[in-house]
Amino acid sequence: MEHVPALDEDLKKTLGPATAKVLAEQLGLHTALDLLHHYPRRYAERGELTSLADLADQLDEHVTVVAQVADARLLTYHGGRGGGKRLEVTITDGSGRLQLVFFGAGVHKPHKELLPGSRAMFAGKVSRFNHKLQLAHPAYEPLGAEASDRDAATAFANQLIPIYPACAKLESWKIAKCVDAVLPRAQEAVDPLPLALREGRGLVPLPEALLKIHRPATKADIEDARQRLKWDEAFVLQVALARRRHADSQLPAVARRAAPGGLLDAFDAKLPFTLTEGQQKVSKEIFDDLATSHPMHRLLQGEVGSGKTMVALRAMLAVVDSGGQAAMLAPTEVLAQQHHRSITEMMGELAEGGMLGGSDRGTKVVLLTGSMGTAARRQALLDLVTGEAGLVIGTHALIEDKVQFHDLGLVVVDEQHRFGVEQRDALRSKGKQPPHLLVMTATPIPRTVAMTVFGDLETSVLDQLPAGRSPIATHVVPAKDKPHFLARAWERVREEVENGHQAYVVCPRIGDGEDDSGNKKKASAEDEAEKRPPLAVLDIAEQLTRGPLAGLSVEVLHGRMDPADKDDVMRRFAAGEVKVLVATTVIEVGVNVPNSTVMVIMDADRFGVSQLHQLRGRVGRGSAPGLCLLVSEMHEASPARARLAAVAATLDGFELSRIDLEQRREGDVLGQAQSGVRSSLRMLAVIDDEEVIAQAREEAARVVAADPELEHLPGLRTALDALLDAEREQYLEKG
């Protein structure tokens, strides 16, 4: 039988089947190594009391507190079968008091042990009884009497007690005992960091870091260990991404250079404006990439309206100039149609290659979506396979097996977060050789997240808005506290329409009897507003038509409509026939109607920060200033209102994405990069540890350039294999 290293052994051997089962099922810990990487959440000091004041925020959660018994009362009550006993213990930690209750036969042991003045760790689920917080039948671990010898007493009082992320069946101190059982094996942990890097950065060896994180003697020990363990996580992940980039750089691709006097020059010559500095800089980065003989992998981030489409279109035209084809993939039909419309308008006669009145330097621009008629679809497919069409814009219908290209040179993916990696991959496989890839997103991604999640893509950022774009004023409308504010909001919409402009009203739900379960919030809702279903497009449209917006042309737009109807509504709105569009978030990306100046977002607290920012970017796209009104029934002190206030306070998407990230858990942000595996980031905080991530990325690039196969770094290779289980490897392969 093959020898299993002690750290990879199943925990059953060391801890017994019952405990191992709880660790595996409740906490996902299977081996000694898993357990060593289950780090304490915080540390309590015996001399210092853990805060009871914070427990109100942790209702229904399992907590561990360190406190002193203030008093204990044994009560006899009558009821049930012959009555019984109840022990009420009040504990204090200086910051607050908490009641513990024990019933029936369970009162005898605590009654003897929990005497006033004694100290213990208590663990249990925080509940509320008679408006007071309590722990019912908590598990507890006495912390012993102070030793008489003063030094021993001081050592005892200053000891740091690790508090572990725990579960109902296994309290923190039981987990601590499990860790004690495997801690000696930390000596066998294989160090993934190259020695030169570790010494150069003054980091402690891995076995020492594991020892110090679990059993620190001082706070400095904890800091040393954290620094080291953060580096492990950042570095191993960045090595995985650096190897991905290195492998990509070895792939062959056709270099695509724009022909002088070709389609791109003709297009630039007819532009009615000059490109912003940012657009010129990013275009140069893209053209340099396209001219190399390995595939470009670039992420283009830009605020809504920063001119990403223009930059992408110029790259596509350069590829057509070089004899290739370019495809743009959009997440929805509405968006694909919109891109097709705006690109053909921008190109004019250059989009009519081979047609009467078209330019001889032009090309054909085709649209391919799932709902096209058979004849139109057949023609589009024919234009692609013969090379007649240089540009194609479509939805995931582009990925189907039937779609063949003459010579696919560039794939542009709009709104990356809406596409699975598999879809990106399927489109890339359509080229004779891997095509160049440009991924666009209007969701600002903090630099660290870009380095972590999109680490296999080089990043370009467009952060200037083109000249002529107007500022957007954003205000919160507290509908419940101040109903007259909402009435005024509808008056503002009327005024804008009377001045020749148009408006959006956005709702979280369609309202055609759809299943609302997805919108239900937790029972501990902040407010009554949370308990009612979210406002719906169909209901609001009806109320507006009958009430405050009577007499104006109001139409609805949502994802369940027939594609032809959707397109018709969008076309009439773009033409100015429809004055007010009541819609779901289908308008979130890419809808461009410069005449729209006002947006009212109903139940704005039900949307995320980044989503509100995206939606708001739909107004103020012309020369008139934009206005965005965030309607909410949440009370002023609620976290939801604080979020809305943050959106109203800044138009800087990167600042908002930072706020968004701080409010959510890391795992949400890492999204697909963590698909199917427990997040590999336990110690690293993507926002706070920007410096570590940036340095780790540089070090990783250096290490991989010198030794792509990591032949001389077996420890790193092992850590990498552990990180990249099959699913994750596949994810990175396809990135």
Side-chain angles (χ1 to χ4, degrees), residues 564-646:
D565 295 343
K566 263 193 279 195
D567 198 38
D568 178 54
V569 171
M570 250 345 282
R571 197 182 41 70
R572 289 188 294 120
F573 185 62
E577 295 164 29
V578 173
K579 299 300 178 192
V580 180
L581 190 62
V582 184
T584 55
T585 52
V586 291
I587 60 153
E588 180 185 352
V589 284
V591 173
N592 182 21
V593 180
N595 192 38
S596 309
T597 52
V598 58
M599 174 179 285
V600 181
I601 303 180
M602 307 303 290
D603 274 347
D605 45 86
R606 312 240 180 178
F607 298 97
V609 170
S610 295
Q611 199 173 25
L612 290 170
H613 181 61
Q614 289 276 304
L615 287 165
R616 160 172 73 181
R618 302 288 128 221
V619 294
R621 297 175 79 87
S623 50
L627 173 66
C628 178
L629 302 173
L630 307 173
V631 179
S632 170
E633 292 194 358
M634 286 296 165
H635 56 81
E636 209 168 342
S638 64
R641 279 282 292 277
R643 232 177 27 240
L644 297 183

Side-chain angles (χ1 to χ4, degrees), residues 520-550:
K520 288 207 172 83
K521 296 272 181 168
K522 293 194 289 287
S524 61
E526 296 178 331
D527 199 310
E528 282 304 311
E530 283 278 55
K531 292 175 187 165
R532 63 160 172 74
L535 295 171
V537 167
L538 302 178
D539 304 340
I540 293 290
E542 191 180 336
Q543 288 166 25
L544 293 177
T545 331
R546 289 184 178 178
L549 303 185

Side-chain angles (χ1 to χ4, degrees), residues 67 86-87 118 121 125 149 208 210 355 357 391 396 413 415 487 506 516 564 572 583 602 616 694 707:
R86 168 188 171 100
L87 176 66
S118 65
M121 279 198 288
K125 189 174 179 181
D149 175 353
E208 185 183 328
L210 290 170
M355 291 191 255
L391 301 183
H396 52 83
V413 178
E415 287 308 322
V506 181
D516 296 331
R572 289 188 294 120
M602 307 303 290
R616 160 172 73 181
D707 180 6

